[in-house]
Amino acid sequence: MRNKYSGSTTINTKLFRKLFLINVFFVLSITTITAQKQHISIRDSIDGAIDLSDYIIYAHGFIVVPTLITEPALGGIGGALVPIFLKKHDPVIDENGKKRFIDPDITGAMGMYTGNKSWVAGAFRAGSFIKSKIMYRVGAGYGNVNMSFYEKLPSGNDKEIDLNFQSFVFYTRVMKQFRNAKWSAGPQYFLLDSKINFPDLNDLPSFAKLKDIKSLVSQLGGAIQFDGRDNIFTPDKGMRLQADFFWSDNAIGSDYDAWRVNLSAIGYYPITKKLIGGLRLEGEQTFGSPPFYLRPGINLRGIPAARYQGKASIVTEGELRWDLYKRWSLMGYGGLASAFNDWDKAFAKPVVYSYGTGFRYLLARKFKLRMGVDVAKGPEDWAYYVVFGSNWLR
């Protein structure tokens, strides 16, 4: 289920161009019609460029975002319609006399369909109780997803196996900010109820078990975070550090007994006024017996989801954004990663790499929100991504 350019490069490229132009045209058309009714300009008062800031702020915080789905593991092409309500908050002065910036509330829904006939429908919200200094996230959805997983054969080669997932998912997290509001911590919960259709139930792949056919994953955990970025969409400077874990056990209704620990660091630094550097480091480790579809994998542009898995993974990625002309920026990035079972083989073959380029447009100046396209090359295929905000959006 990967996006392979060999043999179909011209078709995929033409289709991608058409869908991207339709995507941009639809965003601007819906925005223009609604903005005219509301008498809101979509031109920035400073530079006269197309800008959705006032539309997002004053048109009841509502925007429709049609988005291309370009994940290679989901067929390489597809679409999602995401209506989103954004509510901007003014900074507040805490009891210690310091200014505290509040992230905008985000409420939305999603409908998705891709080239390999996968579909997903769901809803989500991220918001804050400002006085209580509590941030929360909650989301739920149902999907019928076709995705490839890979079985390691005795010959050393990988066998691609197409699986169908019919799944309900629910996630929530509540974070309490400390006296220094950049620090926060709190509990989180994850539920995944799945039915998996295998090609042959009498000959399951080596990574699967009979109980995987119909299973319930219930995970309880916690997280601690430091977020010093200057904004949540497309940061120019600052760092975000997070450590979190999940515990899965029969005692909380799960069919699996396992632990999962995640560590991540994402930082941005202005090398010059127009050149922004970014660095991402992430690591994940599992213990016990998690289901195969929740084993640590490699999340890099250009690498299909679930292509490389193990009991642990390490991902490193760097990027540069050059603000080339007015609101337009040029991107360059590259990364290395490894998924493995034993730490003494952490960087044994295959060490996975990817690299690529792209562009961004400053779509909403008051939110520092940029949108654009990335094209990435991994060890096997090319892939393209429509990026709303940042590819490292967390």
Side-chain angles (χ1 to χ4, degrees):
M1 305 298 178
R2 290 169 289 162
N3 171 37
K4 297 184 178 180
Y5 270 32
S6 56
S8 60
T9 304
T10 304
I11 296 175
N12 280 347
T13 302
K14 289 182 178 179
L15 181 60
F16 167 69
R17 288 174 179 172
K18 289 179 181 179
L19 288 175
F20 180 70
L21 290 174
I22 291 171
N23 183 74
V24 173
F25 175 76
F26 188 79
V27 171
L28 295 179
S29 297
I30 294 296
T31 301
T32 302
I33 292 171
T34 308
Q36 287 174 348
K37 290 181 179 179
Q38 300 284 336
H39 303 291
I40 297 170
S41 175
I42 61 169
R43 295 283 181 177
D44 192 277
S45 59
I46 294 179
D47 61 6
I50 292 175
D51 186 281
L52 303 189
S53 298
D54 288 345
Y55 171 73
I56 294 172
I57 294 171
Y58 300 115
H60 305 292
F62 176 73
I63 184 170
V64 177
V65 182
T67 303
L68 290 178
I69 303 297
T70 53
E71 167 58 50
L74 295 176
I77 194 69
L81 191 64
V82 187
I84 296 176
F85 292 87
L86 294 178
K87 182 179 180 180
K88 186 176 176 63
H89 295 289
D90 294 327
V92 299
I93 304 299
D94 284 335
E95 64 277 0
N96 57 12
K98 293 184 177 181
K99 182 183 290 187
R100 174 163 56 99
F101 293 93
I102 312 298
D103 292 339
D105 292 344
I106 305 172
T107 306
M110 183 185 74
M112 181 194 85
Y113 189 83
T114 72
N116 68 353
K117 299 182 180 179
S118 296
W119 63 268
V120 174
F124 57 89
R125 177 170 171 82
S128 302
F129 298 113
I130 298 174
K131 291 184 179 180
S132 303
K133 299 176 72 173
I134 290 175
M135 304 178 296
Y136 63 88
R137 294 180 180 180
V138 62
Y142 182 84
N144 189 316
V145 177
N146 301 302
M147 183 175 286
S148 294
F149 283 76
Y150 296 82
E151 181 180 17
K152 181 69 70 174
L153 301 177
S155 63
N157 296 326
D158 291 337
K159 179 182 178 182
E160 184 177 358
I161 300 174
D162 296 336
L163 302 180
N164 170 257
F165 290 77
Q166 298 173 26
S167 302
F168 169 79
V169 62
F170 172 81
Y171 171 75
T172 187
R173 187 181 80 177
V174 179
M175 302 285 278
K176 170 68 174 178
Q177 292 177 306
F178 298 164
R179 183 176 178 84
N180 180 347
K182 293 180 180 180
W183 286 95
S184 59
Q188 57 185 352
Y189 179 73
F190 176 78
L191 177 73
L192 181 62
D193 188 357
S194 297
K195 178 183 177 183
I196 305 175
N197 295 310
F198 292 88
D200 186 354
L201 293 179
N202 296 317
D203 185 22
L204 293 178
S206 58
F207 56 72
K209 300 176 182 178
L210 281 174
K211 68 177 181 179
D212 295 332
I213 295 173
K214 185 170 177 55
S215 62
L216 180 68
V217 177
S218 176
Q219 296 182 336
L220 185 64
I224 183 168
Q225 175 182 272
F226 170 86
D227 194 348
R229 296 172 297 175
D230 61 341
N231 76 93
I232 63 171
F233 293 114
T234 315
D236 293 328
K237 62 181 179 179
M239 179 180 294
R240 176 189 175 276
L241 306 173
Q242 179 171 302
D244 69 277
F245 74 91
F246 279 106
W247 167 63
S248 179
D249 193 89
N250 299 128
I252 53 174
S254 180
D255 293 331
Y256 300 89
D257 298 329
W259 287 82
R260 183 162 58 116
V261 179
N262 304 278
L263 300 172
S264 68
I266 298 172
Y268 298 87
Y269 183 78
I271 301 171
T272 67
K273 186 177 180 180
K274 293 183 175 293
L275 186 64
I276 308 299
L279 181 63
R280 167 187 169 222
L281 303 172
E282 293 188 0
E284 186 175 357
Q285 173 75 59
T286 57
F287 305 92
S289 302
F292 70 90
Y293 47 86
L294 290 182
R295 297 178 71 196
I298 291 174
N299 178 17
L300 273 180
R301 283 166 280 194
I303 308 298
R307 175 63 180 93
Y308 303 94
Q309 289 185 297
K311 293 181 180 178
S313 66
I314 296 176
V315 176
T316 65
E317 189 177 17
E319 72 173 26
L320 290 172
R321 191 189 84 225
W322 179 22
D323 295 335
L324 181 63
Y325 178 73
K326 294 185 177 180
R327 290 175 173 247
W328 295 94
S329 303
L330 185 64
M331 302 292 299
Y333 53 86
L336 289 173
S338 180
F340 48 90
N341 292 324
D342 302 305
W343 278 93
D344 58 348
K345 299 178 181 178
F347 290 99
K349 292 182 179 180
V351 175
V352 182
Y353 67 89
S354 72
Y355 58 88
T357 187
F359 71 88
R360 298 288 187 274
Y361 177 78
L362 183 59
L363 191 64
R365 176 181 56 82
K366 295 179 182 179
F367 290 86
K368 294 187 178 181
L369 171 61
R370 298 174 185 267
M371 185 175 179
V373 174
D374 284 342
V375 179
K377 174 68 169 65
E380 300 169 15
D381 302 319
W382 286 92
Y384 44 83
Y385 304 86
V386 175
V387 181
F388 188 83
S390 167
N391 195 268
W392 301 343
L393 194 62
R394 299 290 188 272

